[in-house]
Amino acid sequence: MESVTFLLIAVILTALAFDFTNGFHDTANSMATSIATGALSPRVAVAVAGVLNLAGAFLSTEVAKTISGGIIDDTKVSPVMIFAGLIGAILWNLITWLAGLPSSSSHALFGGLIGAVWVGSGGSAVRFDAIMEKIVIPALASPVVACLVALLATYLAYVITRRVSGRTVRRGFRAGQVGSASLVALAHGTNDAQKTMGVITLALISGGVLSHGAGPPWWVVLSAGLAISLGTYAGGWRIIRTMGRGLTDIQAPQGFAAETSATAVILSSSHLGFALSTTQVCTGSILGAGLGRRLAHVRWGVAGRIAVSWLLTLPAAAAVGGTAAWVADRGDGGVALVAGVAVAAATGFYALSRRRPVNPDNVNELPAPTAEGDTVRSAA
């Protein structure tokens, strides 16, 4: 019983560590465009996002229930499997953060859990119909919907303000961005913090602490909200640069349109219990904002690399999660080995990031020049 209790504590701490990486990996979702346009200074932006991520964690638990009892059979899950799945998600988050790619932390988590449970309990423990309905279909549809909504919103923003002086337009939309970026941060906390709540709840169920089908206790909601908000405050500057400066040229009206569109899509999905990727939604809305402004530059090479990372996220995290589950299932020594490898890898990624650091002082500098084919003009 003591070893199970110790393992359960280890799983909860690992889940909160993932939540922290989720926070700094996804800070760009809410604040990249506001930082790029100068609506908010970098340090103020991450502070606001952190506070609102915490507040958003208390608004709903529908997504948490989807994860704790929706995509996998909670009667066939052990704490070791959950631990291994989290390791897979954390390592993929760190790899894509180092590369500055806004991949989906949500899909990394889903992939890690699916791979670990599949290896540990077989394919029957994975509910593929729920994965298709709650994860795959929203993953395909949400960035497209967000892109189209942002494209239309951006077009209308420029049409409505075409007779207004440029200075007035910039000032007005920058002020609006403070509100719209805050809404995205709130929506992000509502959606993404719940995923860790769901994982911890699943661990408590598998450890016999909670009954099957139970929702997250209040302390789980609080701890998950705090972890993601602290991660957000740490700032994922490498990804903020990619989304704010690398994908397209962002002006204040575009930033406002992108943030408002993303908020609408994320909050709608949270209400329906769809555990979609806020990263994909926000990236789609930024791309739509780029397409919606005449003569805006869209760097399709960058967009292509982001899309490839999206395609790789689920299988890559599943492969790592499955391997970690196979090793960790060998006993306490296996769990310790997996944990040690993860810590060593995280330390290595951090050391590599210091060679070319990105911080609040240089986050708005353009990334390294891309090939000429990466940049085209919108036909809108």
Side-chain angles (χ1 to χ4, degrees):
M1 184 66 179
E2 290 181 359
S3 61
V4 172
T5 302
F6 172 77
L7 178 59
L8 188 58
I9 293 173
V11 170
I12 292 172
L13 293 177
T14 306
L16 294 176
F18 163 78
D19 209 19
F20 183 85
T21 68
N22 191 167
F24 73 71
H25 198 281
D26 290 2
T27 306
N29 294 347
S30 55
M31 292 298 168
T33 57
S34 293
I35 292 172
T37 63
L40 289 168
S41 70
R43 290 181 176 83
V44 170
V46 296
V48 170
V51 171
L52 291 173
N53 270 196
L54 176 59
F58 290 89
L59 295 183
S60 172
T61 58
E62 290 303 314
V63 173
K65 293 175 183 176
T66 295
I67 293 172
S68 63
I71 64 174
I72 52 181
D73 185 349
D74 60 18
T75 64
K76 298 180 180 180
V77 177
S78 69
V80 169
M81 297 176 202
I82 298 172
F83 170 76
L86 287 165
I87 293 297
I90 290 171
L91 291 180
W92 184 254
N93 268 358
L94 293 176
I95 290 170
T96 50
W97 161 76
L98 182 63
L101 292 172
S103 70
S104 171
S105 296
S106 305
H107 290 172
L109 175 59
F110 301 146
L113 288 174
I114 290 168
V117 172
W118 201 337
V119 168
S121 293
S124 62
V126 181
R127 294 172 174 163
F128 292 100
D129 53 343
I131 292 171
M132 181 63 65
E133 177 188 354
K134 296 288 188 178
I135 297 175
V136 175
I137 292 177
L140 295 174
S142 59
V144 176
V145 172
C147 179
L148 293 175
V149 173
L151 190 156
L152 178 60
T154 300
Y155 175 78
L156 291 175
Y158 280 102
V159 168
I160 292 170
T161 61
R162 65 181 181 274
R163 300 185 186 281
V164 182
S165 69
R167 182 178 180 182
T168 301
V169 170
R170 285 192 298 273
R171 290 179 60 184
F173 277 107
R174 282 179 180 176
Q177 274 194 277
V178 175
S180 60
S182 297
L183 285 174
V184 177
L186 187 69
H188 181 260
T190 303
N191 195 281
D192 278 44
Q194 289 188 57
K195 292 158 189 170
T196 299
M197 294 179 208
V199 170
I200 295 176
T201 301
L202 186 62
L204 294 172
I205 291 172
S206 67
V209 178
L210 295 177
S211 60
H212 293 290
W218 70 268
W219 64 267
V220 172
V221 176
L222 177 61
S223 59
L226 285 172
I228 198 170
S229 65
L230 290 173
T232 299
Y233 183 69
W237 304 111
R238 307 175 85 83
I239 299 175
I240 288 174
R241 172 186 281 183
T242 298
M243 291 184 71
R245 303 291 292 173
L247 187 59
T248 186
D249 299 322
I250 291 290
Q251 295 181 353
Q254 294 168 280
F256 178 79
E259 291 159 356
T260 305
S261 302
T263 300
V265 175
I266 294 168
L267 288 179
S268 298
S269 70
S270 294
H271 177 70
L272 295 172
F274 292 132
L276 54 71
S277 165
T278 56
T279 299
Q280 292 183 353
V281 171
C282 293
T283 304
S285 66
I286 291 173
L287 181 60
L291 294 172
R293 177 169 70 89
R294 184 178 296 276
L295 301 182
H297 291 76
V298 176
R299 298 176 181 89
W300 292 107
V302 176
R305 289 190 287 274
I306 292 172
V308 169
S309 75
W310 290 356
L311 293 175
L312 292 176
T313 295
L314 267 172
V320 176
T323 302
W326 184 82
V327 175
D329 197 42
R330 296 312 187 254
D332 291 344
V335 173
L337 177 60
V338 170
V341 170
V343 171
T347 303
F349 293 143
Y350 178 76
L352 288 173
S353 74
R354 304 315 299 163
R355 294 183 177 182
R356 292 184 178 179
V358 182
N359 52 52
D361 298 321
N362 66 5
V363 68
N364 272 339
E365 294 177 6
L366 283 172
T370 57
E372 190 169 336
D374 282 357
T375 303
V376 299
R377 292 185 181 276
S378 166

